[in-house]
Amino acid sequence: MQALSQHLAQTLKALRAQRQWSLTQAAEHSGVSKAMLGQIERGESSPTVATLWKIATGFAVPFSLFITPPEAAREVVHYREGERPPFHQQNAQMQVRSLADFDALLGLDLLEITFSANAFSASAPHAPGVTEHVIVITGTLEVQVAQRWHQLRQGEVLRFNADVPHAYRNSSGQPTLIHNLIHYPRAG
C-alpha cells in the first residue's frame, strides 16, 4: 500500500507540474479541496475512489493512471493474477485493480472492482463523452444513472454515459465483483 500511496503522490505532483498549476488551480479544476490535494501529494491521506475520479476528471487523465504505474509499450502483454495490487478505500467498501494498462490509442481503461457487502459508492459526472460498461462477474449490483436504478445480475452488462451523476450499490450480504470498461473520448 505504501508503494501505491507514493505512486499516487508522485503522479499528482507530476500532473500539476506539467500543467503548471498551483494547488489552488488543481482544486478548482478537480473539485477536491486544496488541503486534501496537499495531503495526497505528501502521502498523508488515502483518498476514496470517488475523490480519485474527481482528480482524474479535473486533470483529464484516465483513472488507472493513479493506481497503476504505466509499463513500457509491448506488442504482446500478459497480465498475471496478483501482479497488480488493488487500491483499497479506507472505509473498505470497495477495492479497485487495473486489469490492463490504459490504452491511449483506443481510450480504454479496464478495471476490476470488488464491492463489499452492503457497499454504496456515488460518483460525480466524468468528463463529457466518457462511457462505462459494467459487467457483473459474481454477485448482484444496482447502478443508478440519472436518477434511475438498474439491477444487474451475474453475466449482465450495463453501458451508460458516465458524464452524469451515477452510483453503485451492492444491497446483498455478499461481495460483488465487476469488470468496468471505461472509454474516454479522444482529446481534441
Side-chain angles (χ1 to χ4, degrees):
M1 193 64 177
Q2 182 65 21
L4 190 55
S5 178
Q6 187 177 14
H7 167 72
L8 177 57
Q10 291 171 347
T11 301
L12 183 54
K13 285 179 193 174
L15 287 170
R16 277 199 322 107
Q18 286 172 359
R19 288 162 176 75
Q20 298 181 334
W21 287 356
S22 65
L23 279 173
T24 301
Q25 290 169 309
E28 290 169 358
H29 285 274
S30 67
V32 175
S33 74
K34 178 179 163 181
M36 173 60 82
L37 292 170
Q39 289 172 359
I40 293 168
E41 284 192 5
R42 292 187 302 275
E44 297 171 355
S45 178
S46 179
T48 64
V49 170
T51 299
L52 279 183
W53 262 114
K54 286 181 178 182
I55 296 169
T57 299
F59 281 88
V61 297
F63 177 85
S64 63
L65 183 68
F66 289 107
I67 64 171
T68 307
E71 295 180 353
R74 297 178 280 171
E75 274 189 47
V76 177
V77 183
H78 182 176
Y79 299 103
R80 291 180 173 80
E81 179 68 28
E83 283 184 335
R84 294 166 172 256
F87 174 80
H88 296 272
Q89 285 192 173
Q90 285 182 335
N91 66 10
Q93 290 211 18
M94 64 190 295
Q95 70 177 19
V96 180
R97 176 190 331 266
S98 175
L99 290 178
D101 283 347
F102 173 71
D103 186 319
L105 181 63
L106 299 174
L108 295 178
D109 246 347
L110 179 58
L111 307 174
E112 174 186 84
I113 304 173
T114 303
F115 293 92
S116 64
N118 303 306
F120 175 83
S121 179
S123 181
H126 302 321
V130 172
T131 58
E132 289 191 32
H133 295 78
V134 174
I135 305 110
V136 178
I137 305 303
T138 60
T140 61
L141 187 69
E142 298 167 273
V143 181
Q144 183 185 43
V145 181
Q147 306 300 320
R148 181 171 174 238
W149 285 98
H150 304 267
Q151 175 76 36
L152 301 174
R153 292 180 178 80
Q154 184 173 328
E156 294 184 344
V157 178
L158 181 70
R159 178 188 180 276
F160 62 94
N161 294 333
D163 53 6
V164 298
H166 51 285
Y168 309 89
R169 180 171 62 197
N170 176 9
S171 298
S172 77
Q174 301 296 320
T176 294
L177 174 68
I178 71 164
H179 288 172
N180 193 351
L181 180 65
I182 303 164
H183 178 259
Y184 304 87
R186 285 189 181 205

